[in-house]
Structures are given as C-alpha cells and as structure tokens.
Amino acid sequence: MKKIFLTFLLFFTGIVLAQNEQLAQNYFDKGDFEKAKISYEELLKNQPYNTIFFQRLIDCYQQLQLFPLAETTLQNRLKQFQQASLLVELGYNFQLQKQEATAKKYYEQAIDKIRKNPNEVYGIATTFERKNLLNYALQSYELALTLDPKFNFNFQMALLYGQLGNTDMMIEKFLTEAFANPQNSLLIQNQLSRFMSEDADVAFNDALRKALILRTQKTQDVFWNEYLSWFYVQQKEYGKAFIQQKAIYKRNPETFSNIVNLAQLAIEEGDKETAKEIFTFVLDNTKDLELLIQSHTYLMQMRIDSATEKEYPTVASEMDLLLKEFGVSPYSLSLQILQAHFTTFHLKNPELGKSILKTALDLPLNEYQKADVKMELADILLFEEKFNQALIYYSQIEEDLKNDVVGHEASFKAAKTSYFKTDFQWAQKQFKELKSASTQLIANDALEYFLLINDNTVADSTQTALKQFARADYLLYQNKTPEALVQFQDILKSFKGNEIESVTLYRIGKIYEKLGDYNAALIQYQTIIDKYKDGIYIDEAYYFAAEIYNKQLKDIEKAKANYEQLIFHHEDSIYYTDARKKYRQLRGDTTL
C-alpha cells in the first residue's frame, strides 16, 4: 500500500508541476512578468537545478527592471554551481542597464574561462548567441579552436558569420563542414538555400558559385561536382547542372539516378531541350532495360507534346516500333500507357486505347502499376463522357492507395469529373477537402477550382455561366482546343462584366499561347490587368505576359515592366520567386 500511495503521490505531483509550468509559461508569453516571476520562483523551490526555470526567472527580473535582484540571484547561482556561462548572464544584466564597461568585464571573464578550460566554450558561446552577442560568440569559438584544433565549430561559426553579414566566411565554413562531414550536407544546403532566396541573393549566389568552382578545380573530387550540380539546380540552370553530372558519371559510371532525376526536373520546369539532351545521353551510355524504356518514354512524351496533327501517323509508327523492340511486359508499362493516351486523346480512338490498357491489366503488375493503368483507363472513360464509370476507377485507386500521392491525384480527378458533369455541389465538397492535400500542386489546383465554383455560384445562383465554362474546360480536357476556344469566346460575349469574365480571359490567353498566337494571348492578359486588378488571376496575367515578352517577342523592357509589377505588388504569388530571378537577369544584375 505504501508503494501504491508513493506512486500515486509522485504521479499527482508530476501533474501539478506540469500544470504550474504551463501556467508560468502562459504568463510569460502574455507579458505578465509579475505573475510569471512568482510562478517561476515557486517552481524553482521544487526544482532548484532546473536551468530553464532559472533562466525564465532572470528574464522576468530583467523585464521588470529588477536588475539588482537579478544580479544577486546570478551571483548566488554562480557560487553554487560555478557555471562559466553565468558570467555572460551577469554581463548582459549590466548591459541592459547601459553599464557597458562592467558588462565587458564579465564577458572577458567568461572568455578567460575558455583559456583555462576550452571545453567551457559550449556553454559560453551558446549563451553569447542566445543574447545576440554574436561577435563574442565567434570570439569564443575561435579561441577554443586555437587552443584545441580538434574542435569542430564550422556549422556554428558559419551561422554566426551569416548573421553578421560576412557571407564569404559563412560560405567558407559551410563548405568546409560539408566536405568534412558529408552527412550534414542536406542541412547545410538548406541553410545556403535560405540565403540564395534572400533579396541580396545575386551577390551571394555569385560568391557561392565561385567558391564551388574553385573547389572543383582544386581537388578534382566528385563531391564538389555534386555540390555545383545542386547549386545550378537551385538556379534552374539544368544545362549547367548536366555538365557537372556528366563529369561525375565519367569517374563513376555506376548509376544514372541523379542524371535521370535532373532530366525530370528539367521537364517540370519546361527546359525540354536539356531534358532531351540528358535522355539521349542516357540512351547512348546504358544497356539497362528499365532506364532505356524510361528514357524512351520521356522522349516520346516530349515528341507528342510538340507534334502537329500531320505528324501523328509518324509518332504512332515510332510508338509501335518501340513496343515491338521492348515487348509488352510490366517493364514497358509506361510506354503502353503513353500509347493508350496518345491513341485516345490525339488519334481520337478511345476503343483502341482501352484495349491496350485492358491487355496491360492482365500482366503481373504491382499495386502502383495497377493504379497507373486504372488511372489512364478512367481518363479515357472520362474522355468518352462515361462519367460514372470513370468515377468507379478513380474511387478504386483512392481506396487502394489512401494517403498516397497517387490516391490524392485520383481524388482530384474524381472531383474534376464531378465538375465536368456540372455536379458542382459534390465537386465543391471534394475540392474543399483537397485544398489541404499534402501534395502542393494538387492543393493549389483544388483551391483554384474551389474558388471558381464558389465565386461564380455566389455571383449567379443558377450557375448558367459556370455550366458553360465547365463544358469549355471539358473540351480542353478532350484536347478539342478549337471547339473550347469558341465556347470560351461565347461566354465572354454572353456574360460580359460578370464574375466569370476574368477566368475566361485567362483560359483564352493560355489557349492562344498553346496555338502560338502570342499577340492574341497578350490582349487577354492585358484585359485582366486593366479590368481585374483585384482579381485572383492578376499575378498570372502579369507573369505570363512577361514570359511572352521575354521568351517569344524578345521585348526586354516590356518583360521587365510586367515582372516588376508582380514582384512589387504580388509577393504572395507562386510566380514571385521566378519573376524576381528573371527580372534581375534581364536587368543584368547577375553573372550566374
């Protein structure tokens, strides 16, 4: 019984202490330092060795300007525990009272402790950092290293140099640490990425690039080629990253994984020329069946994307030849799915597309491969306006791969199916749930459709315009671009000045871009800029207008003007980072 009572008492005491700690923290967070002081004094009576409670109590004293009490408390603790870091705390207490000379005396005493025992650096330097006394923290680390070169403070010193604005030394320390301890590379790259995206990134990026190139030339170690490749990927300069990856491959021709990943990134960012170059390199340098099929699939997809209708028969023949070469097996599944898609959406032969996929389903496929086939089969059924049958397949994938990216994609496509069939209430419910999807792209797209339905239902309870818009979107899905364009233009005529006008202008602009009529696309974007400055498509209008002026019409001044509008007035846009980088390149800020 005594043991049970003791256990219960300890448990109850623990709960009370936890509650008191939470109460003290709440007072502190709210700025009620008088109550927080009383709470922490009480907590320290029960746990006198708790450094967190002690630090909070000192903070309370200082916030209440009880500096003599803080000094006495710190001195007593210093006598009791002989912690050198408390000298920093004492110095800071005098600094708060503007007694700089006395503060400096204690700081120097703390540093002197490191001279006597270099291991004291950990507590002292950390306390200096916590008090934002960065130069003293740096001095502490440098002194400890002088006394014992075995110490490694590269990471800590790099952060301090960064905070002090000495980015050259920060780069030096980070890169030294990365090479010495490659397991820390990801952490270091995350830190470097933060500086690369800051407003002053041009000079920093240039300094980092030069530092990496210098190391690549000096050591000839592939580690630096990898780092330089990573740097160019952050800059979205995939051609330069590929040069580094080729250098790595020549010295270590064991794997193509990084090269293939680079090609995929290039495709995602629209750099198809570099992607083609990379996949052609893979085809020329491997006999691995999986890699050969993967490369051919990507190259064929890009071939389809750029092909004209007259070229479709040639594309179909090339596809047939590839499947004859590699055979119909689980290995060539990506080619089979691509052939089914091309046959349906470009050759308008959905029956043949479904036949290809049903043959594929008879193969010994894993769970994800089955999901890929079913997804394409559902897409084809949707193409045929067999909405309910499509939904069955999407639902099967959702059920089989819950909480997976593929499952979320199926959910999104199911929501779009409901949207296409004008079941807006159900579609809206699904899009609302998908707004918080872990996949950012799906979450963004779901939000766009959610707002589309919501805004145009509020503006028009009959949803007449929205129904016509959904039909036009469906024609786009079917790859019936001319018919979709006519439908969108009809919406503009019938619902001029209505809520739906801005998104319709945006859709028409993207269609004209696809058709290569860039001046017509610019007219749509300019209309959005002129009439819907407060609308949700204003940042898209500025960005895609800038892209046309920049890449297609080579009108640098107009490109800069549009990028500038997005940068200065739409900082929350998903296009902000790209716009800023491209604007600076056009302005001649960077030598990258």
Side-chain angles (χ1 to χ4, degrees):
M1 283 298 293
K2 284 182 180 179
K3 287 183 179 179
I4 294 171
F5 177 75
L6 184 60
T7 303
F8 177 78
L9 183 63
L10 289 170
F11 177 73
F12 180 75
T13 304
I15 292 174
V16 171
L17 284 171
Q19 289 175 339
N20 290 342
E21 182 181 347
Q22 186 63 52
L23 186 64
Q25 185 66 48
N26 288 340
Y27 286 140
F28 190 89
D29 292 340
K30 290 176 183 177
D32 192 342
F33 298 112
E34 185 62 52
K35 290 181 180 177
K37 175 180 80 72
I38 294 167
S39 296
Y40 281 120
E41 284 173 340
E42 192 63 34
L43 284 166
L44 270 172
K45 286 178 185 176
N46 294 308
Q47 296 185 47
Y49 300 103
N50 191 307
T51 55
I52 296 173
F53 295 163
F54 179 78
Q55 185 60 56
R56 279 283 185 265
L57 180 59
I58 296 299
D59 291 340
C60 288
Y61 289 157
Q62 290 169 343
Q63 289 289 342
L64 295 167
Q65 297 190 6
L66 301 172
F67 299 117
L69 180 56
E71 182 187 353
T72 302
T73 307
L74 286 165
Q75 291 284 12
N76 290 337
R77 190 142 181 121
L78 180 61
K79 287 176 186 175
Q80 185 179 2
F81 295 107
Q82 297 298 308
Q83 286 177 282
S85 60
L86 291 170
L87 292 166
V88 180
E89 297 284 0
L90 279 162
Y92 187 70
N93 194 59
F94 282 103
Q95 184 170 320
L96 290 173
Q97 300 171 70
K98 310 295 184 187
Q99 297 180 34
E100 301 294 342
T102 308
K104 186 179 179 183
K105 182 186 74 174
Y106 278 107
Y107 296 154
E108 288 175 350
Q109 284 181 29
I111 289 172
D112 196 51
K113 291 286 185 181
I114 298 173
R115 288 191 180 90
K116 295 173 183 174
N117 179 7
N119 287 316
E120 293 281 11
V121 68
Y122 294 103
I124 291 169
T126 302
T127 308
F128 276 132
E129 286 182 60
R130 194 170 64 246
K131 300 301 181 185
N132 206 33
L133 299 164
L134 306 184
N135 282 311
Y136 279 110
L138 203 53
Q139 187 181 340
S140 300
Y141 287 128
E142 287 169 346
L143 175 60
L145 282 169
T146 304
L147 296 168
D148 188 350
K150 292 177 186 174
F151 280 127
N152 179 2
F153 300 120
N154 288 320
F155 190 86
Q156 296 93 323
M157 292 175 75
L159 290 176
L160 289 169
Y161 279 125
Q163 291 176 76
L164 290 167
N166 189 343
T167 52
D168 286 342
M169 281 303 297
M170 183 190 79
I171 290 169
E172 172 67 30
K173 289 294 182 182
F174 270 144
L175 296 186
T176 300
E177 174 62 16
F179 189 72
N181 296 291
Q183 70 274 13
N184 293 333
S185 280
L186 184 59
L187 183 62
I188 290 166
Q189 286 172 353
N190 287 338
Q191 291 293 333
L192 291 171
S193 294
R194 286 178 52 218
F195 280 84
M196 290 165 75
S197 61
E198 293 292 334
D199 286 338
D201 63 315
V202 175
F204 178 79
N205 291 349
D206 196 29
L208 178 56
R209 177 182 62 89
K210 288 175 181 175
L212 287 169
I213 289 173
L214 190 63
R215 281 166 171 74
T216 306
Q217 293 169 341
K218 271 186 177 180
T219 68
Q220 299 295 308
D221 194 303
V222 294
F223 178 86
W224 296 118
N225 296 100
E226 287 283 11
Y227 239 82
L228 198 51
S229 176
W230 166 82
F231 170 80
Y232 285 128
V233 167
Q234 306 312 300
Q235 300 299 300
K236 298 185 178 179
E237 296 184 278
Y238 301 106
K240 292 180 180 179
F242 180 43
I243 291 170
Q244 299 304 317
Q245 288 297 331
K246 279 195 290 187
I248 295 164
Y249 177 77
K250 285 176 184 175
R251 283 179 254 174
N252 181 25
E254 296 297 320
T255 176
F256 276 98
S257 60
N258 287 344
I259 293 177
V260 172
N261 289 340
L262 181 61
Q264 291 168 335
L265 280 173
I267 290 172
E268 288 171 14
E269 293 296 331
D271 188 354
K272 292 186 178 180
E273 288 307 311
T274 298
K276 286 178 186 175
E277 186 184 352
I278 295 172
F279 283 123
T280 302
F281 176 82
V282 173
L283 291 176
D284 291 341
N285 288 278
T286 189
K287 293 181 180 178
D288 182 278
L289 180 63
E290 192 173 345
L291 276 174
L292 288 170
I293 292 171
Q294 187 180 15
S295 299
H296 276 300
T297 302
Y298 277 112
L299 286 168
M300 186 55 69
Q301 180 65 68
M302 286 186 276
R303 174 93 167 86
I304 291 168
D305 291 342
S306 61
T308 61
E309 198 167 339
K310 289 180 181 178
E311 294 173 306
Y312 288 170
T314 305
V315 173
S317 297
E318 290 172 6
M319 191 85 73
D320 286 336
L321 286 171
L322 282 172
L323 280 165
K324 282 178 184 174
E325 179 183 350
F326 295 110
V328 175
S329 74
Y331 291 105
S332 65
L333 186 64
S334 58
L335 278 173
Q336 295 167 57
I337 291 172
L338 183 59
Q339 184 184 44
H341 188 89
F342 175 73
T343 302
T344 300
F345 288 86
H346 293 81
L347 301 181
K348 312 302 181 190
N349 188 349
E351 287 303 320
L352 179 55
K354 288 189 291 185
S355 176
I356 292 166
L357 294 172
K358 285 174 181 175
T359 300
L361 278 176
D362 291 332
L363 297 170
L365 306 177
N366 63 37
E367 190 177 21
Y368 285 94
Q369 288 174 318
K370 284 178 184 175
D372 288 341
V373 176
K374 287 182 178 181
M375 191 84 82
E376 188 61 43
L377 194 52
D379 291 349
I380 292 174
L381 290 166
L382 179 54
F383 174 90
E384 295 181 294
E385 300 193 43
K386 295 176 180 176
F387 300 118
N388 292 332
Q389 290 183 48
L391 284 170
I392 290 170
Y393 279 105
Y394 289 138
S395 298
Q396 285 179 8
I397 299 166
E398 287 179 80
E399 185 63 30
D400 292 341
L401 295 170
K402 286 178 181 176
N403 302 318
D404 189 274
V405 173
V406 179
H408 289 157
E409 185 184 354
S411 300
F412 179 70
K413 288 188 173 185
K416 277 189 76 174
T417 302
S418 298
Y419 162 74
F420 287 145
K421 64 187 286 196
T422 68
D423 184 357
F424 297 128
Q425 187 175 355
W426 180 243
Q428 183 75 326
K429 181 178 180 294
Q430 291 173 296
F431 286 132
K432 186 176 181 180
E433 291 174 1
L434 286 164
K435 285 193 301 175
S436 57
S438 56
T439 309
Q440 191 60 49
L441 185 60
I442 290 174
N444 288 340
D445 288 344
L447 176 61
E448 182 183 341
Y449 279 101
F450 175 83
L451 292 173
L452 171 68
I453 296 171
N454 187 67
D455 293 349
N456 288 285
T457 300
V458 171
D460 174 17
S461 59
T462 65
Q463 299 178 322
T464 306
L466 186 58
K467 287 173 184 174
Q468 290 187 32
F469 189 89
R471 179 63 191 174
D473 258 354
Y474 179 65
L475 289 169
L476 273 184
Y477 171 80
Q478 290 181 304
N479 203 25
K480 296 177 180 178
T481 305
E483 296 94 324
L485 180 58
V486 170
Q487 179 87 353
F488 283 125
Q489 288 170 332
D490 285 345
I491 292 169
L492 279 187
K493 291 173 187 173
S494 303
F495 302 96
K496 200 167 188 65
N498 287 20
E499 180 70 35
I500 205 145
E501 186 177 8
S502 62
V503 65
T504 305
L505 287 164
Y506 174 63
R507 285 287 200 277
I508 292 173
K510 295 308 291 178
I511 289 173
Y512 279 131
E513 276 197 66
K514 184 179 178 181
L515 296 172
D517 191 344
Y518 299 111
N519 286 313
L522 284 171
I523 291 170
Q524 315 309 311
Y525 298 143
Q526 191 59 49
T527 305
I528 295 172
I529 290 166
D530 293 339
K531 292 180 66 177
Y532 296 97
K533 278 196 179 293
D534 297 325
I536 63 171
Y537 292 97
I538 185 66
D539 57 328
E540 278 91 346
Y542 279 126
Y543 182 76
F544 290 113
E547 288 286 276
I548 290 172
Y549 283 124
N550 185 15
K551 296 178 181 177
Q552 309 301 333
L553 305 183
K554 309 299 180 185
D555 190 332
I556 303 305
E557 291 308 313
K558 287 184 178 177
K560 281 163 58 180
N562 280 278
Y563 285 135
E564 196 174 67
Q565 285 294 323
L566 194 149
I567 293 165
F568 293 130
H569 302 294
H570 303 281
E571 292 185 10
D572 58 343
S573 171
I574 60 172
Y575 304 105
Y576 173 80
T577 302
D578 274 353
R580 186 179 62 176
K581 180 175 183 291
K582 290 170 182 176
Y583 174 74
R584 285 174 169 166
Q585 287 175 333
L586 293 179
R587 202 171 61 178
D589 288 2
T590 178
T591 58
L592 293 177

